[in-house]
Amino acid sequence: KAIDEGVDGLELDIRLTKDKKIVIFHDSDLQRLAGRNKKIQDLTYDELQEIKLEQGQMIPLLDDFVPLLNKIKAVNIEIKSDGILKGQGIIKPLIQFLDKHNIDDKCIVSSFNPLILLRLKLKRSKTILGYLYNRSMIFHPWNNLVWMCRIRPDNLHIHYSLLDSWIVKWARGKGMKINSYTINDKNVFDGAKIDGAFTDNIEYLK
């Protein structure tokens, strides 16, 4: 649907199942969308396939996304994790996916978890990284600054309400591209000096 409406790219969230399969899913558990108090990481992919979401959908594998890759100019894969020391197991199968499909010219891998980004960069330096600015950190401007200095990402992904902050100017000075989320207002979009925008619906920005 998004492609039909003319987007340049797509953003998706990924998690790892109990049997090490990468699925496309935002939440850590199934409570909101399926009414079940089960975590994605505690279920195998086959077990997930037995569960329908609230509108009858099934949770797809990252591999199910492959047919769409040739229809878009860019894809942002966000790695979800439930804590800074968690979620590291997804790195190996994600690297296998990236190596197999050769999409480095159009793919950004992002995360709020700086350790995941750091490990991914160490294991696969050619991956284009997007550092998701985390406002929940104590002294978040300085915390994020320290991590960005360590990781040296290619992109800073930051909420539109923070686009006037000094850290955006700093990141721009370091050569990072600035991509902002979640912009659903055309006036905000038109006034933003950014390289890319994440939106819930491209129609909001036309």
Side-chain angles (χ1 to χ4, degrees):
K1 178 62 175 177
I3 292 172
D4 291 342
E5 291 182 357
V7 299
D8 294 312
L10 298 171
E11 187 268 353
L12 51 92
D13 305 310
I14 60 171
R15 291 184 177 274
L16 198 65
T17 64
K18 186 178 180 180
D19 55 340
K20 311 301 182 186
K21 301 288 181 65
I22 299 179
V23 294
I24 300 174
F25 202 66
H26 175 277
D27 297 359
S28 62
D29 58 48
L30 296 165
Q31 186 64 53
R32 182 171 65 95
L33 292 179
R36 300 197 184 193
N37 189 24
K38 295 284 188 180
K39 287 186 173 293
I40 300 297
Q41 65 183 17
D42 295 332
L43 297 171
T44 66
Y45 177 67
D46 287 341
E47 289 172 332
L48 282 176
Q49 290 304 285
E50 297 175 0
I51 300 171
K52 289 187 177 181
L53 305 182
E54 60 183 11
Q55 295 182 3
Q57 308 99 324
M58 310 296 285
I59 296 176
L61 289 166
L62 181 58
D63 286 336
D64 295 330
F65 182 74
V66 171
L68 297 180
L69 288 172
N70 290 330
K71 299 181 179 181
I72 53 178
K73 299 176 183 177
V75 56
N76 185 95
I77 300 174
E78 180 183 339
I79 302 173
K80 289 292 186 183
S81 70
D82 300 328
I84 193 168
L85 298 177
K86 299 180 180 180
Q88 309 292 320
I90 204 168
I91 295 174
K92 182 177 179 180
L94 177 59
I95 288 175
Q96 291 172 345
F97 176 87
L98 296 173
D99 287 343
K100 179 179 179 180
H101 297 291
N102 192 28
I103 55 173
D104 294 300
D105 61 333
K106 65 170 66 177
C107 180
I108 300 172
V109 177
S110 65
S111 183
F112 280 105
N113 188 326
L115 285 181
I116 285 179
L117 293 181
L118 183 58
R119 286 195 63 191
L120 179 57
K121 183 162 190 172
L122 291 172
K123 290 179 176 292
R124 194 176 189 274
S125 60
K126 65 180 179 179
T127 305
I128 298 174
L129 298 181
Y131 181 92
L132 271 159
Y133 187 95
N134 189 345
R135 290 185 290 179
S136 67
M137 292 179 176
I138 299 175
F139 304 117
H140 59 82
W142 300 104
N143 252 310
N144 284 283
L145 177 65
V146 169
W147 278 115
M148 282 191 284
C149 287
R150 183 67 183 90
I151 298 168
R152 298 183 182 180
D154 307 279
N155 304 266
L156 170 60
H157 293 179
I158 192 165
H159 192 267
Y160 68 86
S161 63
L162 295 173
L163 285 175
D164 291 331
S165 63
W166 63 265
I167 202 161
V168 172
K169 298 181 179 66
W170 174 87
R172 180 74 77 187
K174 294 297 182 180
M176 297 180 205
K177 291 185 177 180
I178 308 299
N179 302 316
S180 185
Y181 64 91
T182 302
I183 301 180
N184 291 330
D185 184 295
K186 190 176 188 305
N187 291 328
V188 173
F189 176 69
D190 289 342
K193 297 178 181 179
I194 53 178
D195 298 287
F198 298 95
T199 182
D200 291 320
N201 191 329
I202 190 65
E203 294 297 323
Y204 296 151
L205 307 185
K206 290 182 178 181

